[in-house]
Amino acid sequence: MLQSDLLVVLGDVLPRVARIAAFIAVGVFLANLAVGFGLVEHVAGLSRYLTRPARLPDEVGTAILTTAASTTAGYGMLAEFRESGRLSDRATLVAVTINTFFGFVQHIFTFYVPVLIPILGFEVGVMYVGARALVALGITLAGVAAGALLLRGDDVDRSATVTTSTDGGAPPADDAPETRREVVEHAWNRTLPKLRRIVPRLAVVYTLVVVLTRTYDLTALTSVADPLATVVGLPGAAVPVIAVFALDTTAGAATIAPLVGVEFTPRQAVATMLLGGIVSFAVSTFKRSIPFQYGIWGPAFGSKVIAVNTAFKVVFIGLAVTVLLAA
C-alpha cells in the first residue's frame, strides 16, 4: 500500500517538476542570451514605458514581455537578474508586480476565450474576463507607481550583468564571448548551475505539498465563502458556487452558468466568481504558489513574493466586486 502511494505521489510530482524546470531553464537561458546578443536594446523600446517610470533597467522589460508567453520563463529571467545583483529584493518585488498583467494575457488565449467564455455565455464571460483583465492591469500599474515611489538608486546595479562568473567576479575581457556559438555556450553554462540549485528544492516542496493534500481535506478552507457572500449582499446560492469555483474554475463556471437570469444577474454572477477567486487563494497558494515560488526564489524571498501577490490580488479583486455590485 505504501509503495502504491509512493508511486502515485511520484507520478504527480515528477511531471510538474520536469515541466517547471524546463520553463525555468528556458527563462534563464533567454536572459543570458538577451544580454549576450544585445537583444535588450531591441525589446526595451516596447517595455520602457513601464520600466522607466518604475525606475527599473531595460533588461527587466525583456522578462516582463516574456511572461506573456510563459510566466515561468519570465520569472526565471527575473530570478537571474536578482541573483546577478542587477536587482535588489525590493526592485524584484516591483518587477514581479508589474508582471501581473502580462502573466494574465497568456491565459486569455489558452483558457478564457476557448474554455470559460463558451461555458458562461458571451455577456457574462466577457464581463468576467474583462474584470479579471482590469484587476491584473490595475496591479501592474500599481507596481509601476510603487517603483516610482519606493525604488532608489541602490536598488538597481546597472553595472552588474547576468553573465558574471560563478565566483562573483566579472569574466576576464579575453574570455568574453565573441562568436554566436560562444555566446550560446556561455549562456547555457550559466543556466546549468541555477537548475542544479532550483530543481531539487522544487521537487522536495512539491512532494510535501502532494503528500499533505492527499492527507488533509483542503475544502474546509472554503468555509470563508459564507460570510463573504453575506457581507457583500449576494444571493444565498452564491455560497456553494464560490466553494466550487475556489477549488476548480471550470467546474465553478459550469455551476453558475445555468443560474444566470434565475438566481443571479450577470453582475452578481461575475462578482460571485471574483469572490471565488479570493477564496481560492488559500488553496492555490498552498498547492501551486508555494512550490513554484519557493522553487525559484527560496523560502525567504518566495514568501515575500507570495505575500505581495496575494495582497494586491485581494485588494484589487475586492475593489472590482465593490464596483460591480455598486453599479
Side-chain angles (χ1 to χ4, degrees):
M1 182 66 179
L2 292 177
Q3 184 177 3
S4 62
D5 289 342
L6 178 61
L7 291 175
V8 171
V9 170
L10 290 177
D12 193 5
V13 171
L14 292 179
R16 294 187 188 182
V17 173
R19 183 172 62 253
I20 293 177
F23 281 119
I24 292 174
V26 170
V28 175
F29 185 58
L30 288 177
N32 286 294
L33 284 182
V35 175
F37 283 123
L39 299 179
V40 171
E41 289 76 8
H42 298 286
V43 177
L46 299 175
S47 58
R48 62 168 51 101
Y49 295 107
L50 295 174
T51 56
R52 292 287 175 84
R55 300 184 179 182
L56 293 172
D58 292 343
E59 291 89 334
V60 173
T62 309
I64 290 173
L65 294 181
T66 299
T67 303
S70 168
T71 304
T72 309
Y75 268 67
M77 296 176 77
L78 289 178
E80 182 69 5
F81 293 141
R82 174 175 174 263
E83 298 217 1
S84 71
R86 169 73 69 164
L87 300 177
S88 69
D89 284 0
R90 181 159 46 186
T92 304
L93 287 173
V94 168
V96 167
T97 304
I98 295 175
N99 255 352
T100 303
F101 179 74
F102 298 90
F104 172 81
V105 166
Q106 63 171 297
H107 297 301
I108 293 177
F109 304 101
T110 60
F111 176 67
Y112 289 116
V113 170
V115 177
L116 211 60
I117 290 179
I119 293 175
L120 294 171
F122 183 80
E123 181 183 7
V124 176
V126 170
M127 283 179 61
Y128 175 71
V129 175
R132 290 300 302 265
L134 288 175
V135 166
L137 181 60
I139 295 173
T140 289
L141 295 178
V144 175
L149 294 173
L150 302 178
L151 295 188
R152 302 186 300 267
D154 57 356
D155 286 308
V156 175
D157 183 0
R158 299 184 184 275
S159 64
T161 68
V162 296
T163 54
T164 56
S165 62
T166 55
D167 62 359
D174 292 341
D175 295 335
E178 295 179 356
T179 67
R180 292 185 177 181
R181 180 175 179 178
E182 288 173 331
V183 171
V184 172
E185 290 178 351
H186 193 74
W188 178 244
N189 290 335
R190 287 285 301 163
T191 301
L192 289 177
K194 184 172 293 296
L195 289 178
R196 296 191 188 104
R197 183 173 65 257
I198 290 177
V199 172
R201 185 169 61 198
L202 196 65
V204 170
V205 177
Y206 257 126
T207 300
L208 292 175
V209 167
V210 170
V211 170
L212 289 174
T213 54
R214 286 175 57 83
T215 305
Y216 299 99
D217 183 13
L218 296 181
T219 58
L221 295 173
T222 63
S223 60
V224 72
D226 196 349
L228 269 178
T230 302
V231 168
V232 300
L234 289 172
V239 176
V241 171
I242 291 173
V244 175
F245 198 90
L247 297 175
D248 185 86
T249 303
T250 305
T255 301
I256 201 171
L259 300 177
V260 177
V262 180
E263 296 284 348
F264 300 94
T265 67
R267 290 180 182 273
Q268 288 176 329
V270 173
T272 299
M273 290 186 288
L274 290 174
L275 284 179
I278 291 180
V279 177
S280 72
F281 290 153
V283 177
S284 64
T285 295
F286 185 76
K287 295 180 67 176
R288 290 184 289 275
S289 294
I290 288 178
F292 176 71
Q293 303 293 359
Y294 280 22
I296 290 180
W297 309 106
F301 189 72
S303 297
K304 294 180 182 179
V305 172
I306 292 171
V308 169
N309 281 342
T310 301
F312 271 115
K313 286 178 181 177
V314 169
V315 168
F316 277 86
I317 289 179
L319 289 174
V321 170
T322 301
V323 171
L324 274 170
L325 296 181

